[in-house]
Structure formats: C-alpha cells, structure tokens
Amino acid sequence: MVWVPLGPPRTDCLTLLRPPPNANSPKMSLEWLVAWSWSLDGLRDCIATGIQSVRDCDTTAVVTVACLLVLFVWYCYHVGREQPRPYASVNSLMQGADTNGLQNGYVYCQSPECVRCAHNEGLNQKLYHNLQEYAKRYSWSGMGRIHKGIREQGRYLNSRPSIQKPEVFFLPDLPSTPYFSRDAQKHDVELLERNFQTILCEFETLYKAFSNCSLPQGWKMNSTPSGEWVTFYLVNQGVCVPRNCRKCPRTYRLLGSLRTCIGNNVFGNACISVLSPGTVITEHYGPTNIRIRCHLGLKTPSGCELVVGGEPQCWAEGRCLLFDDSFLHTAFHEGSAEDGPRVVFMVDLWHPNVAAAERQALDFIFAPGR
C-alpha cells in the first residue's frame, strides 16, 4: 500500500513536519518528501505575496498604524505601573501629612521649576558644587556661613524648632525673629510707602478686569481651604514676568529703585496678593531665612490678620509690614463681602544681616535655572 497525499497539502507547520503513517516503506518516504518540498514552495510563495502586499500599501498609513501601536503599548505600561489614588476632599488633604505635595497642611504646586515644591535628594551636593564654582571664579572670603550652612543643611533643617523651619535653605547665625522693625530696611520701606498711591492705582486698573471674567490673564489662583487667594506676579522666583510688568510699568520701575530687593535668585518675588472675604491661608513655612518679606497695605479692611510664629499683626493702608516667612505663618480675612478684598503689594528683601559678599554668592548659587 502506497501513501499518496489527497488534495493540496496543508501549509500548517505541524502538518508539514508530521511524517506519513507508515515510515518503514522507502517509497512512501520518497513520496512524503516530494509533497513536503511542494508545500514549502507554496509557503514561500505565500510569504512573498504578503511582503509584496505590504510594499504596495501606503507608507504613511503603515507609519501611522505603527505609531498608534507604540503609543497603545506605552499607555498600557504606564497605566499598569500607576498606583491607584483614592479620592480625598480638600479638607482631608489639608489635614494630611507631608506626602505628595502636602507639607504642614499646605498644598504645593508640584512644579519642577518651583524651588520649594521640586524637592531634590541631591540638592546639597548641587549647592556645594555651585559654591565651589563661585569660589573658583571669585573668592572664598566671606563664605564661612554659606559653606557651613550647605555642609550641615540636613542637620539644620531637621533639628530646627517647629516654629521656624525653612524648607530649602537655612543660613546659620542669622538673628531670628518673626517680625522686623521698619528700620531693618528703612530706605526701601520709605520708598514703597511714598509710592503707595502709584501702586494702588495700577492695582485698581488691573482689578477692573475681574468684572469680565473670573480669573483674568496674568493672575494665579492659590490653594486655600476656604475663600479665594489670587496673586499677580511681577517677579516670580527671581524671574521677571514681562507681560505682567507691562501692565504695571510704574510699579515695576519702582522695584529697580529698591536697594535690598531680591531680584536675581529663586527666593525673590514681587506680586500683588488679594484675599477675598472668608479666606484662610493654611499655616506653612517659607523656603529660606535669608530674606524678609515686606507687605505694603493697599486695601486693609477690618477682620484681616497675619499671624507669624504665633504672633498676630494687622496690616495698615500705606504702611509696610516686615516679617520672616521661614516662621510658621498664616493669614485670613474674616470680614464681610461688603468690606471688599484685602490687598497687599508683596516684595522680598534681603535679611539685613546677610553681608554683601554673601548676597552675591547666594545670587550665584541660587540663580534661576541653575
């Protein structure tokens, strides 16, 4: 009995490799090998036909399909790695611990450009490298406190009492007090107060835009457990905001006349800060103790208060209030809607006990984008 394949042989791999039922007959084996050779020729023709079909296809369509496939695979991988996040209300977030942008109950923006929010494990090494680079270009003279602060930064930040805990950089041996007298930076305080009406007029022009939309261009909404807190930055972490400065040209020029304004490093800010009635800013710490924050009161209705290091103070229109925001601090507006918003012009000034050589070095070490 001779084995003969019936009909066209299958191109299935298992079929091709399966031997005939009776492999003892030489004639049967020969016939099987002939049929297998014929099947391989058919398989080769099938593959060639498929390749030609792909060649005839539109290249753009093939590339598009390939890109979509890659994106789909990446999306599946990303979703698979992501941990589920339970929903949490704003109030519960405010009561949380120091995780995922929540520290001391304060909501952080999580921006990689933000010096306070983008916590970097290698920050101390980076700061020390910047200090060495500065010393090579200029001098180690007068760098003792900065060198000491960077070298022992972790110990300083961890051992500080809870009333004062700057979150980024602590300069040792600076006098610490929640509030400063007006004489601490007398020239700049008097200059700001003399230009009170100028700043107020430019703010009122800006604020008219709120009648047309909820948050006009250039304003930033900040997280609060209640009420609304908006800011209009002229300088944000040492970087000028040109579009906003053009809307407040006289106020911006005034910044250039201040002797102790921090304008060249990430700890320097200048903005208009507005609290609506019923607003509470959660207690939080500033990033450093090398500055003092100056608030020039523009509109200060009753029921508004600033609390720094447990000590309350009230703003006054046309007057400057100086404080160290590395102390735990908060602000609130408990007035009625008829009272209107609390408005201050905020600018960061150098701590009076930071020497000129130290200021120059800190500007270099903490330059924006470094």
Side-chain angles (χ1 to χ4, degrees), residues 84-276:
R85 304 180 196 173
Y87 171 79
S89 65
V90 172
N91 289 334
S92 63
L93 287 175
M94 292 300 174
Q95 298 170 1
D98 304 339
T99 56
N100 289 333
L102 281 171
Q103 295 190 4
N104 310 311
Y106 188 75
V107 179
Y108 287 77
C109 68
Q110 296 294 300
S111 169
E113 290 80 23
C114 180
V115 67
R116 183 173 60 191
C117 303
H119 297 288
N120 186 354
E121 293 181 356
L123 178 62
N124 287 356
Q125 290 82 356
K126 181 179 179 181
L127 295 182
Y128 192 73
H129 172 77
N130 292 347
L131 174 60
Q132 286 182 315
E133 185 179 347
Y134 173 84
K136 289 177 182 177
R137 292 189 185 185
Y138 303 100
S139 170
W140 279 103
S141 178
M143 298 298 103
R145 283 198 301 189
I146 297 178
H147 181 263
K148 179 181 177 182
I150 293 175
R151 188 180 67 245
E152 303 184 38
Q153 195 64 201
R155 181 176 67 84
Y156 283 132
L157 296 182
N158 292 329
S159 63
R160 293 296 302 168
S162 59
I163 194 173
Q164 184 193 26
K165 279 201 171 188
E167 297 177 338
V168 178
F169 178 71
F170 178 79
L171 185 64
D173 306 324
L174 281 183
S176 296
T177 178
Y179 294 97
F180 287 80
S181 71
R182 296 162 45 82
D183 292 336
Q185 298 295 4
K186 185 176 181 181
H187 173 272
D188 290 350
V189 166
E190 292 179 349
L191 183 61
L192 287 168
E193 291 179 351
R194 283 199 304 270
N195 288 272
F196 160 69
Q197 286 295 338
T198 297
I199 302 172
L200 178 61
C201 288
E202 291 195 329
F203 158 72
E204 289 176 339
T205 302
L206 282 174
Y207 204 63
K208 289 178 182 178
F210 276 85
S211 60
N212 300 324
C213 59
S214 57
L215 189 66
Q217 190 177 44
W219 289 87
K220 178 180 180 293
M221 181 72 71
N222 302 283
S223 299
T224 56
S226 63
E228 290 184 350
W229 172 28
V230 295
T231 45
F232 187 85
Y233 279 92
L234 304 183
V235 178
N236 186 10
Q237 294 191 3
V239 178
C240 174
V241 186
R243 179 179 295 175
N244 289 0
C245 292
R246 285 193 291 268
K247 295 180 181 180
C248 300
R250 292 180 292 176
T251 302
Y252 176 65
R253 284 195 297 269
L254 177 63
L255 293 177
S257 301
L258 299 176
R259 293 178 180 174
T260 61
C261 176
I262 302 178
N264 297 320
N265 70 54
V266 295
F267 298 128
N269 303 273
C271 71
I272 296 172
S273 174
V274 180
L275 293 186
S276 64

